[in-house]
Amino acid sequence: MGDQIRVVSLIPSATEILAALGLADAIVGRSHECDYPPEIKDRPVCTAARLNSATPSQEIHQNVNKILQSALSIYEVKLDVLEVLKPTHIITQDQCDVCAVSLEDVEAAVAKLTQSQPQIISLQPNSLSDVWHDIERVANALGVRSLELLEDLEARVKICQQKTTHLSIEELPTVACIEWTDPLMTAANWIPELVTQAGGQPVLSVSGQSSPIITWDTLVATDPNTIVFMLCGFDLQRTRTEAIALTSHPEWEKLHAVQHQRVYITDGNAYFNRPGPRLVDSLEILAEIIHPEIFDYGYQGKGWEPLD
């Protein structure tokens, strides 16, 4: 089977799904952002970004909007690379134009290919069950089993839920998850669900919806017990820099979470922003942050750190 299947993954979460299903060797090409597991880093890169993600948050946000408004995509597909790779399958997403190549662009690129006619698998996850469903869809399309992987992931989720079910409402802190700092955005989609399963009460975002922009006034008025930074596409170090920039805001010191030293940074790029198998790691990270008296998985220092 492995000989015939040649997969190009155009999103990091799909690359992780393929690897978790035992299909890392079938990946012949990847997106410029696919970086996990490490052994796929030698695969040819099939996409490029039209913007510089090293610039400040506000500038990235403005540039993203400019590119999208001019009816261009933020990413381009490298057609010449796809021609050489002759993939049998291409995995992409149809959820967020800021996160990866759009389905439309992939379809347009595939229509121009002369050497192969790959099947496009498009993922569109908004909740944890959508992610399980995507894992199943990828496995089915490529002729492998997903049951063992899904059972393992779901068992880990159940452990978190079982350890927090006995807590009273007073023992469930309110948790605000920050996905972007300028403008201020809170993390939605599957994140509120993870917060709930980790024994917290999600505030300022709705499960299954896209991430909203909020005002400082709203953050101050909501005054969450805990604030967790999970910035889109940023690692721990970059997240610390961005979060520290917020601390100079005049309202910062008034926040309950700040006064009680319950502000945390995470590696959003590796964990929370990727709708793949490591969302379960993300849940375990949240559980450690929200209930250190119950959970200790050992993610501190690599997956998360206190901000102070």
Side-chain angles (χ1 to χ4, degrees), residues 28-273:
V28 294
R30 62 178 176 95
S31 83
H32 62 286
E33 291 187 323
C34 293
D35 56 10
Y36 190 88
E39 66 263 25
I40 57 86
K41 286 188 186 177
D42 62 351
R43 309 301 148 88
V45 174
C46 305
T47 58
R50 287 196 170 99
L51 62 90
N52 174 9
S53 60
T55 56
S57 296
Q58 190 183 9
E59 207 177 306
I60 294 174
H61 185 74
Q62 287 166 345
N63 290 342
V64 161
N65 286 340
K66 265 186 219 149
I67 294 170
L68 292 176
Q69 276 158 7
S70 59
L72 271 171
S73 308
I74 295 172
Y75 307 98
E76 45 195 329
V77 182
K78 296 183 175 183
L79 203 61
D80 51 338
V81 180
L82 285 185
E83 279 285 32
V84 173
L85 294 176
K86 302 185 182 64
T88 55
H89 299 78
I90 295 178
I91 308 185
T92 184
Q93 55 97 43
D94 189 20
Q95 190 207 21
C96 171
D97 289 340
V98 182
C99 289
V101 181
S102 70
L103 176 61
E104 220 171 297
D105 285 355
V106 177
E107 287 172 339
V110 165
K112 293 185 189 132
L113 290 177
T114 58
Q115 298 299 317
S116 59
Q117 286 180 307
Q119 179 191 338
I120 299 173
I121 305 166
S122 185
L123 310 180
Q124 198 181 2
N126 296 303
S127 67
L128 208 48
S129 62
D130 291 347
V131 177
W132 303 156
H133 187 63
D134 282 346
I135 290 173
E136 205 173 354
R137 275 181 53 217
V138 169
N140 289 344
L142 300 175
V144 295
R145 288 169 59 91
S146 59
L147 189 66
E148 290 87 345
L149 174 62
L150 288 171
E151 278 180 350
D152 174 53
L153 293 172
E154 285 170 10
R156 286 165 62 195
V157 172
K158 208 163 271 174
I159 288 169
C160 276
Q161 285 176 306
Q162 282 168 347
K163 287 188 174 179
T164 56
T165 44
H166 66 278
L167 299 172
S168 66
I169 193 83
E170 293 78 33
E171 294 173 290
L172 305 176
T174 53
V175 182
C177 296
I178 309 290
E179 189 176 85
W180 200 249
T181 56
D182 193 4
L184 207 50
M185 294 173 81
T186 50
N189 298 111
W190 46 84
I191 297 296
E193 205 180 335
L194 296 183
V195 170
T196 305
Q197 290 166 341
Q201 298 178 61
V203 292
L204 300 172
S205 56
V206 180
S207 269
Q209 303 283 315
S210 51
S211 303
I213 292 180
I214 61 160
T215 63
W216 266 96
D217 291 348
T218 305
L219 181 62
V220 173
T222 308
D223 204 16
N225 303 126
T226 303
I227 295 175
V228 183
F229 286 91
M230 43 182 71
L231 304 183
C232 199
F234 292 167
D235 63 12
L236 216 46
Q237 204 178 343
R238 176 77 192 261
T239 301
R240 180 175 288 283
T241 307
E242 297 285 332
I244 286 172
L246 277 198
T247 63
S248 58
H249 193 281
E251 305 279 3
W252 179 257
E253 293 298 333
K254 295 180 187 170
L255 293 166
H256 178 279
V258 174
Q259 292 171 355
H260 292 80
Q261 294 181 310
R262 291 195 57 80
V263 181
Y264 305 91
I265 53 168
T266 67
D267 184 341
N269 180 53
Y271 299 103
F272 298 91
N273 317 147

